[in-house]
Amino acid sequence: MTSPKQRIIETALRLFSTQGYNTTGINQIISEANVAKASFYQYFKSKEDLCVEFLNARHTYWFNALNSFTASETRVNSKVIASFDFLIFMNKKEDFRGCSFLNTLSEIPMDNQKILAVIQNHKSDLRSYFLELLNNQELSDHVYLLFESSIIESQMFRSNELIEVSKRLITNLIQ
Amino acid sequence: MTSPKQRIIETALRLFSTQGYNTTGINQIISEANVAKASFYQYFKSKEDLCVEFLNARHTYWFNALNSFTASETRVNSKVIASFDFLIFMNKKEDFRGCSFLNTLSEIPMDNQKILAVIQNHKSDLRSYFLELLNNQELSDHVYLLFESSIIESQMFRSNELIEVSKRLITNLIQ
Amino acid sequence: MTSPKQRIIETALRLFSTQGYNTTGINQIISEANVAKASFYQYFKSKEDLCVEFLNARHTYWFNALNSFTASETRVNSKVIASFDFLIFMNKKEDFRGCSFLNTLSEIPMDNQKILAVIQNHKSDLRSYFLELLNNQELSDHVYLLFESSIIESQMFRSNELIEVSKRLITNLIQ
Amino acid sequence: MTSPKQRIIETALRLFSTQGYNTTGINQIISEANVAKASFYQYFKSKEDLCVEFLNARHTYWFNALNSFTASETRVNSKVIASFDFLIFMNKKEDFRGCSFLNTLSEIPMDNQKILAVIQNHKSDLRSYFLELLNNQELSDHVYLLFESSIIESQMFRSNELIEVSKRLITNLIQ
DNA sequence: CATGAATGAGCGTTCATTCAT
DNA sequence: TATGAATGAACGCTCATTCAT
């Protein structure tokens, strides 16, 4: 069996992703992770602390999933388009729950620097991901911005319509 | 003195915008609105009900502010760009709190149809706003998507940088 | 249209009978009686006051219904048995809700003399009802006691079984 | 000092018995039991849950008290009569508060199956108690029904009169 | 005679966290 | 290292009643 700490993080990963941060209570987490309450506070000094670890775990999971999904594409342009297809794939898999990082951003108080930093870090990496692919700051930012919209619009309308729109726009942009 | 209902809505407008929906309790609202708890529930059958009214009020306020801000621009292209400047203006005014509708979207359970409808309605109106300005579905959607990213990226990074990037991208798109 | 006071009493009759005293709020009563809140407190100085009037109205209604139901019986013994059939009739009509007076007795604080008096008065009348029929204190008390059990047992078990048992016992007692 | 759970049950036993279920709030219970509110909800997932435990505890307590009270009687007939004397004893001890089970029956919504089951179970055991004593279904039901009336009539009239009447009736029935 | 606005007190419940062992 | 007991504060909401008009 995995370690208590690992079980807590895995449970948080599942619950925070699907129910949101505020909606998910410590009690549910420790109960589903089969961990004593005091054990929880041994590994995480607060729920906020767990949130940071959750976002880090999500970061890793998400980029791994993205890279796996697009691995078979060799040409840059196809890889970019496949990244948007990845959103469609994830929307199906996670029922249009959107981006954990943006969702968390809306749930925490504005002055929570620690969590904010993790969120910003994730999105900076995403921005770099497109920059590394496209090697053109303006173009990659353009794609990044449409990618971000694609996430939230599809979450909001429970529909991939605007992802498809974005794909068409980008196809035009990158030939 | 204004009516209790009005004071409640104004207080909710202020508190939900700045602190978020879940973080703001009924107790704080009624206390700052100087209203008895039972009075609150005479006007709003639930907190969710108030949320709907809040979003409606915010919708009206936001579009009025947008129209005021861009009123002096006569040419379409300038009006579009001015809309992005409006985001910068609001970020300064509201300290990068982002979009109440997107923030609320992240705070409510996924199956809350009533609130979701209000959120979708607001964004549909925004999408139409750009369509009416530009009279070109693909182009206006493009602008709409960059507008949405601009909001969330500037909220997340507490910076207008990516709004400026979007402005440059759009300037190229619409000449 | 009937008078406001009348409408209130009729509504209370309906709601207190079916939902109980504590479960039924003033708001529901005035709303279903189409009466303003302040009007209510013009006619009844408190909810307790209404309870008294409700029990009085129920007293009249119940004895009228009992007398109607047993009117066709001419012989004493048949009238007594018919009284128990009346319980079965009422259980069907009111879905085993039991006796409003005994239910209210359990709902009010023990020291509420005003309401207690109305309850005692009702049951004294019932005891007298059987005494007048049977002209024999011991026998009529015997029947009265089985009648009371019949009400509460059928309410508790949502079944007329023990009413039928009582009927058989009484048939033996009075030949 | 006893455990919190024990203190809660004991307090509930005292307060529900004397004040009724709806009248007794969680706040009073935890305050008089010297227990934090959250501790209460660790042991009982709802007030209804506590009600079930209360009725179970009352069931045990009541039958124990009954058996103790009648233990010295060896002949069946004396044991039956002693059971009615037990009611007189309890009325003195508990100031004519009647039967917790019947009182609760009147306080809960009709569709509360969980509590209803506990109530029915208690009374079924009582019915069996007389059946085992008397070994005659019709006779024991007769006694059971007079026993039930005796409880509610003495509660309603704050008097043991009708218990004495019942005792006389039963003495005649069983010689 | 009639009203609807407004209230204080209390409801049952859940939260993230700490303590004693 | 690991635990379950215990907590204070706050949650959203409903109650019977009163007041100003």
Side-chain angles (χ1 to χ4, degrees):
Chain A
M1 206 185 202
T2 61
S3 82
K5 179 164 184 177
Q6 199 52 34
R7 288 201 311 269
I8 293 170
I9 293 179
E10 275 162 20
T11 307
L13 197 49
R14 181 167 50 83
L15 296 179
F16 285 161
S17 298
T18 59
Q19 308 179 342
Y21 176 65
N22 285 316
T23 303
T24 304
I26 293 287
N27 285 325
Q28 192 186 3
I29 292 172
I30 62 165
S31 143
E32 300 200 12
N34 259 95
V35 165
K37 188 163 280 191
S39 298
F40 174 90
Y41 281 95
Q42 212 172 329
Y43 295 117
F44 307 95
K45 71 179 230 293
S46 69
K47 191 189 180 188
E48 182 193 319
D49 242 54
L50 174 61
C51 185
V52 169
E53 294 242 27
F54 150 67
L55 290 176
N56 284 330
R58 178 79 183 172
H59 176 81
T60 302
Y61 167 79
W62 191 88
F63 269 105
N64 283 343
L66 171 63
N67 285 321
S68 293
F69 189 91
T70 62
S72 58
E73 304 296 336
T74 48
R75 294 183 314 120
V76 163
N77 290 5
S78 306
K79 241 187 170 62
V80 169
I81 294 300
S83 302
F84 284 76
D85 286 327
F86 174 66
L87 293 183
I88 296 173
F89 165 75
M90 288 296 276
N91 281 336
K92 177 152 197 192
K93 191 175 178 212
E94 303 193 340
D95 197 23
F96 293 97
R97 282 189 194 104
C99 171
S100 291
F101 299 87
L102 297 180
N103 286 334
T104 304
L105 177 67
S106 295
E107 291 217 54
I108 56 165
M110 284 209 33
D111 52 8
N112 193 322
Q113 295 298 335
K114 216 164 10 169
I115 293 179
L116 182 58
V118 183
I119 295 170
Q120 291 173 337
N121 181 67
H122 171 76
K123 290 301 185 185
S124 293
D125 282 2
L126 179 58
R127 200 175 166 194
S128 299
Y129 167 85
F130 286 116
L131 178 57
E132 278 160 31
L133 272 181
L134 293 162
N135 241 314
N136 174 331
Q137 184 74 55
E138 186 177 293
L139 180 60
S140 66
D141 279 350
H142 200 152
V143 170
Y144 168 68
L145 289 167
L146 290 173
F147 192 84
E148 289 287 88
S149 312
S150 292
I151 297 174
I152 55 169
E153 299 303 311
S154 59
Q155 174 185 10
M156 182 163 39
F157 291 100
R158 275 86 169 109
S159 147
N160 293 316
E161 182 209 349
L162 284 167
I163 303 182
E164 298 291 358
V165 169
S166 291
K167 278 169 63 182
R168 258 175 275 131
L169 294 172
I170 286 161
T171 304
N172 291 340
L173 290 174
I174 61 180
Q175 264 80 328
Chain B
M1 210 182 204
T2 60
S3 85
K5 177 162 187 179
Q6 199 53 34
R7 279 183 321 220
I8 292 170
I9 292 181
E10 276 162 21
T11 307
L13 203 45
R14 180 166 51 83
L15 296 178
F16 283 161
S17 298
T18 60
Q19 308 179 340
Y21 177 64
N22 285 318
T23 304
T24 305
I26 293 287
N27 287 322
Q28 191 185 4
I29 292 173
I30 62 167
S31 144
E32 300 201 11
N34 259 96
V35 164
K37 194 170 278 195
S39 297
F40 174 91
Y41 281 95
Q42 218 171 339
Y43 297 112
F44 307 94
K45 71 181 227 298
S46 68
K47 190 189 180 189
E48 183 192 320
D49 235 57
L50 175 62
C51 185
V52 169
E53 292 239 28
F54 151 67
L55 291 176
N56 283 331
R58 179 79 184 172
H59 176 80
T60 302
Y61 167 79
W62 191 88
F63 268 105
N64 283 344
L66 171 63
N67 286 321
S68 292
F69 188 90
T70 62
S72 57
E73 304 296 335
T74 49
R75 294 182 314 122
V76 162
N77 292 3
S78 308
K79 240 186 171 62
V80 169
I81 294 300
S83 302
F84 284 75
D85 286 327
F86 173 68
L87 293 182
I88 297 174
F89 165 76
M90 288 296 278
N91 279 337
K92 175 150 198 196
K93 191 174 177 212
E94 302 193 339
D95 196 23
F96 294 97
R97 274 179 207 116
C99 170
S100 291
F101 299 86
L102 296 180
N103 286 334
T104 303
L105 176 67
S106 293
E107 292 218 53
I108 57 164
M110 284 207 36
D111 53 6
N112 192 323
Q113 297 296 337
K114 210 156 31 161
I115 292 180
L116 182 57
V118 182
I119 295 171
Q120 291 173 337
N121 181 66
H122 171 77
K123 292 300 185 186
S124 293
D125 282 2
L126 179 59
R127 200 175 166 195
S128 299
Y129 167 85
F130 286 115
L131 177 58
E132 276 159 32
L133 272 182
L134 293 163
N135 243 314
N136 175 330
Q137 185 76 57
E138 185 176 296
L139 179 59
S140 65
D141 278 350
H142 200 152
V143 169
Y144 167 70
L145 290 167
L146 291 173
F147 192 85
E148 289 286 88
S149 311
S150 292
I151 296 174
I152 55 170
E153 299 303 311
S154 58
Q155 173 185 10
M156 182 164 39
F157 291 101
R158 274 83 169 115
S159 147
N160 292 317
E161 182 210 348
L162 284 166
I163 303 182
E164 297 292 357
V165 168
S166 291
K167 277 170 63 181
R168 258 175 275 131
L169 293 172
I170 285 163
T171 304
N172 291 340
L173 289 173
I174 60 181
Q175 265 76 327
Chain C
M1 208 184 202
T2 60
S3 83
K5 179 166 184 175
Q6 200 53 34
R7 288 201 310 268
I8 292 170
I9 292 179
E10 275 162 21
T11 307
L13 197 48
R14 182 167 50 83
L15 296 178
F16 284 160
S17 299
T18 58
Q19 307 179 342
Y21 176 65
N22 284 318
T23 304
T24 305
I26 292 287
N27 284 325
Q28 191 186 3
I29 293 172
I30 62 166
S31 142
E32 300 199 11
N34 259 98
V35 164
K37 188 164 282 191
S39 298
F40 174 89
Y41 281 94
Q42 211 172 330
Y43 296 116
F44 307 94
K45 72 179 228 293
S46 70
K47 191 189 179 189
E48 183 194 317
D49 242 55
L50 174 62
C51 184
V52 169
E53 294 242 27
F54 151 67
L55 291 175
N56 284 329
R58 178 80 183 172
H59 176 80
T60 302
Y61 167 79
W62 191 87
F63 269 105
N64 283 344
L66 172 63
N67 285 321
S68 293
F69 189 90
T70 61
S72 58
E73 304 296 336
T74 48
R75 295 182 312 121
V76 162
N77 292 5
S78 307
K79 242 188 168 60
V80 169
I81 295 300
S83 303
F84 284 75
D85 286 326
F86 173 67
L87 293 182
I88 297 173
F89 165 75
M90 288 296 277
N91 279 337
K92 177 151 196 195
K93 191 174 179 213
E94 302 193 340
D95 196 23
F96 294 97
R97 281 188 197 107
C99 171
S100 291
F101 299 88
L102 296 180
N103 286 335
T104 304
L105 177 66
S106 294
E107 291 217 55
I108 56 164
M110 284 208 32
D111 53 8
N112 192 323
Q113 296 298 335
K114 219 167 4 172
I115 292 180
L116 182 58
V118 182
I119 295 171
Q120 291 174 337
N121 179 67
H122 171 77
K123 290 301 185 186
S124 293
D125 282 4
L126 179 59
R127 201 176 165 193
S128 299
Y129 167 85
F130 286 116
L131 178 57
E132 277 161 31
L133 272 182
L134 293 162
N135 242 313
N136 174 331
Q137 185 75 57
E138 186 176 292
L139 181 58
S140 66
D141 279 350
H142 200 151
V143 170
Y144 168 69
L145 289 167
L146 290 174
F147 193 84
E148 289 286 89
S149 312
S150 292
I151 297 173
I152 56 171
E153 299 303 310
S154 59
Q155 174 184 9
M156 183 164 38
F157 290 101
R158 275 85 170 111
S159 147
N160 294 315
E161 181 209 349
L162 285 166
I163 303 181
E164 299 291 358
V165 169
S166 292
K167 278 170 62 182
R168 260 176 272 131
L169 293 172
I170 286 161
T171 304
N172 291 341
L173 290 174
I174 60 181
Q175 265 77 328
Chain D
M1 208 182 205
T2 60
S3 83
K5 177 163 186 176
Q6 200 53 35
R7 283 189 319 239
I8 292 170
I9 292 182
E10 276 161 20
T11 307
L13 203 46
R14 181 166 51 82
L15 296 178
F16 284 161
S17 299
T18 59
Q19 307 179 341
Y21 177 64
N22 285 317
T23 304
T24 305
I26 292 288
N27 286 322
Q28 191 186 3
I29 293 173
I30 62 166
S31 144
E32 300 201 11
N34 258 96
V35 163
K37 194 168 278 197
S39 297
F40 174 90
Y41 281 95
Q42 216 170 340
Y43 297 112
F44 306 95
K45 69 181 228 299
S46 68
K47 191 189 180 189
E48 182 192 321
D49 235 57
L50 175 60
C51 184
V52 169
E53 291 238 28
F54 152 67
L55 291 176
N56 284 331
R58 178 80 185 172
H59 176 80
T60 302
Y61 167 79
W62 191 89
F63 269 104
N64 282 344
L66 171 63
N67 285 321
S68 293
F69 189 90
T70 63
S72 58
E73 305 296 336
T74 48
R75 294 182 314 119
V76 163
N77 292 3
S78 307
K79 242 188 169 63
V80 170
I81 295 300
S83 303
F84 283 75
D85 285 327
F86 173 67
L87 293 183
I88 297 174
F89 165 75
M90 288 296 277
N91 279 337
K92 177 152 197 193
K93 190 173 178 214
E94 301 194 339
D95 196 24
F96 294 97
R97 274 178 207 118
C99 171
S100 291
F101 299 86
L102 296 180
N103 287 334
T104 304
L105 177 66
S106 295
E107 293 218 54
I108 57 164
M110 285 207 34
D111 53 7
N112 192 324
Q113 296 296 337
K114 213 159 23 165
I115 292 180
L116 182 57
V118 182
I119 295 171
Q120 291 174 336
N121 181 67
H122 171 75
K123 291 300 186 188
S124 293
D125 282 2
L126 179 58
R127 200 175 166 194
S128 299
Y129 167 84
F130 286 116
L131 177 57
E132 278 160 30
L133 273 181
L134 293 162
N135 242 316
N136 174 331
Q137 185 75 56
E138 185 177 294
L139 180 59
S140 66
D141 279 350
H142 201 152
V143 170
Y144 167 69
L145 290 167
L146 291 173
F147 193 84
E148 289 286 89
S149 312
S150 292
I151 297 173
I152 56 170
E153 299 303 309
S154 58
Q155 173 185 11
M156 184 164 38
F157 290 102
R158 275 81 170 116
S159 147
N160 293 317
E161 182 209 349
L162 285 166
I163 303 181
E164 297 292 358
V165 168
S166 290
K167 277 169 63 181
R168 257 176 276 131
L169 294 171
I170 286 162
T171 304
N172 292 340
L173 289 173
I174 61 182
Q175 269 78 323

